[in-house]
Amino acid sequence: MTDTVPAPPTDAAPRTAGGATVEFRALRRSFGATTALDGLDLTVQPGELLALLGPSGCGKTTALRMLAGFEHPDSGQVLVDGKDVTSTPAHRRDAGMVFQSYSLFPHLSAVDNVAFGLRMRKVGTAERRRRAAELLELVGLPSHADRFPHQLSGGQQQRVALARALALRPRVLLLDEPLSALDAKVRTNLREEIRRLQLELGITTLFVTHDQEEALSMADRVAVMNAGRLEQCAAPAELYDRPATAFVAEFVGTNSRIPGHLADDGYVEVLGRRLPAESGTADGSHGSHGSGGREVDVLVRPEAVTVSADPTGDALVVAAAFLGAVTRVTVRLPDGTDVKADLPSTEAAVLPPGAPVSLSLPDRPVLVAARAA
């Protein structure tokens, strides 16, 4: 039995009044000697799903909690539709929040959990049960209304938590790693459901995650954070294809660092070729460090590397990981550098470990970073 949910009837879906614009302006927050946010500037457009992505401790959850009203900045502002809500209590902010732990009331049924916020707002019994029933249908659990949390699977409990967050028809939905406690199959199904609901309701949504696959598959834009600062905010394809910094390039997707020489003219000599350095290259260098340039690393995605059998080649295949239609081949250069390449499995089959090969890169700009220590 899976947690796959059929699409609900369209007339069951409560409608929001439209998503809100959310702005973080120069937010700073420290906890003792630890800087959680270091001048965060970020705008979320109405109806957009924006993922805050980054490693543990990067500040993404702190930013979300500031929007919810659970944390307050040392300086800076949080605005919703142009209104400064920095000092507004959490219960007066038009936001619904779903946590990593489902946080359901164990003594209440699913329908009563969903209706809880409506009861606190003095909505009549009949109306709140009607709206709670609509929301349970929206999340695919109409037959589970009378079940208690211990009678529900993890995915079902998280759906109830999502319905509860939507019950008050918030203009902003906040999701704090809501899928991390679920197994892989349920997590995949539920992230698809969250995205479907978000699009259907048109609600502005911030989604905190450290899982790049979740962020790239769900979000309109992804904001990558590191040590309290925003590294880059862009659509998933742009983030992957044109990372603004070395951190983004290596945190999102897989890269190999290949030694190269950055010349004064902005070209990089790598694997026997001269290629232009990407505009705004990762460490901000364009060969302006004196006559003769300097040694750098070139960051290369595995799908950009071409591997050819070559009896005279000075690189060797050292490993191959079968991934279905694609096989990820690891090739070792003479200096000991390992380069990953994604090849069609039919091509990789004739390149067993130990096979001599040659490598090449496409004729396009490459991202350059400071040489790794």
Side-chain angles (χ1 to χ4, degrees):
M1 181 177 181
T2 70
D3 277 299
T4 303
V5 179
T10 55
D11 60 0
R15 296 291 172 180
T16 64
T21 300
V22 172
E23 297 176 77
F24 299 110
R25 292 186 180 175
L27 283 184
R28 297 183 183 277
R29 182 70 166 100
S30 295
F31 299 95
T34 301
T35 300
L37 289 177
D38 189 11
L40 175 64
D41 287 298
L42 181 63
T43 299
V44 189
Q45 301 299 328
E48 180 178 37
L49 193 157
L50 185 137
L52 295 173
L53 176 67
S56 297
C58 71
K60 57 188 186 294
T61 295
T62 300
L64 195 76
R65 289 176 61 82
M66 284 187 181
L67 178 55
F70 300 146
E71 295 280 353
H72 298 285
D74 299 326
S75 62
Q77 295 175 298
V78 178
L79 289 84
V80 177
D81 280 340
K83 179 183 178 182
D84 188 346
V85 299
T86 311
S87 301
T88 302
H91 68 279
R92 294 188 180 278
R93 301 192 188 192
D94 195 4
M97 190 157 182
V98 180
F99 300 90
Q100 177 179 344
S101 56
Y102 319 124
S103 300
L104 300 178
F105 298 109
H107 61 289
L108 296 181
S109 65
V111 70
D112 288 335
N113 263 286
V114 175
F116 181 81
L118 298 172
R119 190 176 75 182
M120 293 297 99
R121 294 202 178 179
K122 310 300 183 185
V123 176
T125 301
E127 173 64 10
R128 69 174 181 255
R129 290 191 70 84
R130 181 189 69 79
R131 284 168 60 178
E134 283 184 350
L135 282 157
L136 285 175
E137 186 160 357
L138 185 70
V139 298
L141 295 174
S143 62
H144 295 64
D146 296 325
R147 297 189 187 182
F148 291 86
H150 72 273
Q151 296 173 311
L152 302 173
S153 70
Q156 291 166 347
Q157 290 184 62
Q158 198 59 291
R159 283 196 175 91
V160 173
L162 179 60
R164 182 179 60 186
L166 294 171
L168 298 176
R169 297 175 180 170
R171 300 196 65 204
V172 180
L173 179 63
L174 310 177
L175 305 172
D176 187 10
E177 302 199 46
L179 309 180
S180 59
L182 304 174
D183 66 49
K185 186 172 183 179
V186 174
R187 189 163 62 242
T188 299
N189 289 335
L190 191 49
R191 76 186 184 205
E192 292 172 356
E193 284 305 304
I194 289 173
R195 181 55 165 160
R196 179 183 65 80
L197 291 174
Q198 187 269 335
L199 288 171
E200 186 171 340
L201 299 175
I203 187 170
T204 302
T205 302
L206 274 76
F207 186 107
V208 163
T209 181
H210 61 269
D211 185 323
Q212 59 172 286
E213 184 178 332
E214 282 182 4
L216 297 178
S217 65
M218 293 178 64
D220 296 301
R221 288 189 301 152
V222 179
V224 180
M225 298 183 64
N226 179 34
R229 302 183 68 86
L230 181 65
E231 294 268 337
Q232 185 177 6
C233 184
E238 181 180 350
L239 201 72
Y240 185 86
D241 292 334
R242 295 184 295 280
T245 68
F247 178 85
V248 174
E250 296 188 285
F251 190 82
V252 178
T254 300
N255 271 283
S256 298
R257 281 180 170 256
I258 304 176
H261 181 81
L262 181 62
D264 287 339
D265 60 2
Y267 276 74
V268 183
E269 297 170 9
V270 57
L271 296 179
R273 299 198 63 186
R274 291 187 83 247
L275 299 173
E278 185 76 57
S279 176
T281 196
D283 64 351
S285 60
H286 294 275
S288 57
H289 293 267
S291 177
R294 64 192 180 106
E295 304 307 308
V296 294
D297 282 341
V298 177
L299 305 182
V300 180
R301 300 288 190 194
E303 63 271 19
V305 181
T306 299
V307 182
S308 303
D310 183 354
T312 64
D314 57 4
L316 295 176
V317 174
V318 294
F322 179 76
L323 304 174
V326 170
T327 293
R328 178 159 294 173
V329 175
T330 301
V331 176
R332 184 158 295 162
L333 301 180
D335 66 359
T337 300
D338 284 346
V339 180
K340 298 184 184 302
D342 286 349
L343 307 177
S345 291
T346 52
E347 294 181 15
V350 299
L351 299 173
V357 294
S358 58
L359 304 184
S360 63
L361 300 177
D363 187 15
R364 64 186 188 213
V366 291
L367 190 68
V368 172
R371 173 65 58 86

